[in-house]
PDB file of all heavy atoms in Angstrom:
ATOM      1  N   LYS A 242     -42.593 -75.259 -96.161  1.00  0.00           N
ATOM      2  CA  LYS A 242     -43.433 -75.225 -94.965  1.00  0.00           C
ATOM      3  C   LYS A 242     -42.650 -74.810 -93.719  1.00  0.00           C
ATOM      4  O   LYS A 242     -43.247 -74.602 -92.654  1.00  0.00           O
ATOM      5  CB  LYS A 242     -44.068 -76.590 -94.744  1.00  0.00           C
ATOM      6  CG  LYS A 242     -45.036 -77.003 -95.846  1.00  0.00           C
ATOM      7  CD  LYS A 242     -45.641 -78.374 -95.559  1.00  0.00           C
ATOM      8  CE  LYS A 242     -46.610 -78.789 -96.655  1.00  0.00           C
ATOM      9  NZ  LYS A 242     -47.189 -80.140 -96.396  1.00  0.00           N
ATOM     10  N   ASP A 243     -41.332 -74.715 -93.830  1.00  0.00           N
ATOM     11  CA  ASP A 243     -40.472 -74.390 -92.694  1.00  0.00           C
ATOM     12  C   ASP A 243     -40.774 -75.288 -91.495  1.00  0.00           C
ATOM     13  O   ASP A 243     -41.120 -74.830 -90.399  1.00  0.00           O
ATOM     14  CB  ASP A 243     -40.582 -72.917 -92.310  1.00  0.00           C
ATOM     15  CG  ASP A 243     -39.705 -72.035 -93.174  1.00  0.00           C
ATOM     16  OD1 ASP A 243     -38.542 -72.408 -93.404  1.00  0.00           O
ATOM     17  OD2 ASP A 243     -40.192 -70.990 -93.651  1.00  0.00           O
ATOM     18  N   GLN A 244     -40.597 -76.598 -91.721  1.00  0.00           N
ATOM     19  CA  GLN A 244     -40.831 -77.568 -90.671  1.00  0.00           C
ATOM     20  C   GLN A 244     -40.096 -78.862 -91.009  1.00  0.00           C
ATOM     21  O   GLN A 244     -39.896 -79.187 -92.187  1.00  0.00           O
ATOM     22  CB  GLN A 244     -42.316 -77.867 -90.527  1.00  0.00           C
ATOM     23  CG  GLN A 244     -42.686 -78.696 -89.314  1.00  0.00           C
ATOM     24  CD  GLN A 244     -42.217 -78.079 -88.000  1.00  0.00           C
ATOM     25  OE1 GLN A 244     -41.196 -78.502 -87.456  1.00  0.00           O
ATOM     26  NE2 GLN A 244     -42.953 -77.071 -87.513  1.00  0.00           N
ATOM     27  N   VAL A 245     -39.628 -79.543 -89.971  1.00  0.00           N
ATOM     28  CA  VAL A 245     -39.044 -80.858 -90.205  1.00  0.00           C
ATOM     29  C   VAL A 245     -40.135 -81.800 -90.701  1.00  0.00           C
ATOM     30  O   VAL A 245     -41.322 -81.630 -90.383  1.00  0.00           O
ATOM     31  CB  VAL A 245     -38.373 -81.412 -88.937  1.00  0.00           C
ATOM     32  CG1 VAL A 245     -37.157 -80.592 -88.568  1.00  0.00           C
ATOM     33  CG2 VAL A 245     -39.352 -81.487 -87.771  1.00  0.00           C
ATOM     34  N   ILE A 246     -39.734 -82.774 -91.505  1.00  0.00           N
ATOM     35  CA  ILE A 246     -40.699 -83.702 -92.097  1.00  0.00           C
ATOM     36  C   ILE A 246     -40.874 -84.896 -91.169  1.00  0.00           C
ATOM     37  O   ILE A 246     -39.911 -85.610 -90.875  1.00  0.00           O
ATOM     38  CB  ILE A 246     -40.240 -84.155 -93.490  1.00  0.00           C
ATOM     39  CG1 ILE A 246     -40.100 -82.928 -94.418  1.00  0.00           C
ATOM     40  CG2 ILE A 246     -41.205 -85.167 -94.087  1.00  0.00           C
ATOM     41  CD1 ILE A 246     -39.495 -83.239 -95.769  1.00  0.00           C
ATOM     42  N   ALA A 247     -42.101 -85.064 -90.693  1.00  0.00           N
ATOM     43  CA  ALA A 247     -42.391 -86.123 -89.722  1.00  0.00           C
ATOM     44  C   ALA A 247     -41.964 -87.483 -90.247  1.00  0.00           C
ATOM     45  O   ALA A 247     -42.173 -87.817 -91.418  1.00  0.00           O
ATOM     46  CB  ALA A 247     -43.885 -86.128 -89.400  1.00  0.00           C
ATOM     47  N   GLY A 248     -41.345 -88.270 -89.374  1.00  0.00           N
ATOM     48  CA  GLY A 248     -40.957 -89.629 -89.710  1.00  0.00           C
ATOM     49  C   GLY A 248     -39.627 -89.769 -90.406  1.00  0.00           C
ATOM     50  O   GLY A 248     -39.192 -90.888 -90.690  1.00  0.00           O
ATOM     51  N   THR A 249     -38.943 -88.641 -90.692  1.00  0.00           N
ATOM     52  CA  THR A 249     -37.659 -88.719 -91.404  1.00  0.00           C
ATOM     53  C   THR A 249     -36.470 -88.739 -90.455  1.00  0.00           C
ATOM     54  O   THR A 249     -35.323 -88.808 -90.896  1.00  0.00           O
ATOM     55  CB  THR A 249     -37.499 -87.539 -92.373  1.00  0.00           C
ATOM     56  OG1 THR A 249     -37.481 -86.303 -91.616  1.00  0.00           O
ATOM     57  CG2 THR A 249     -38.623 -87.512 -93.385  1.00  0.00           C
TER      58      THR A 249
END
Side-chain angles (χ1 to χ4, degrees):
K242 295 180 180 179
D243 277 315
Q244 189 56 260
V245 293
I246 300 173
T249 63

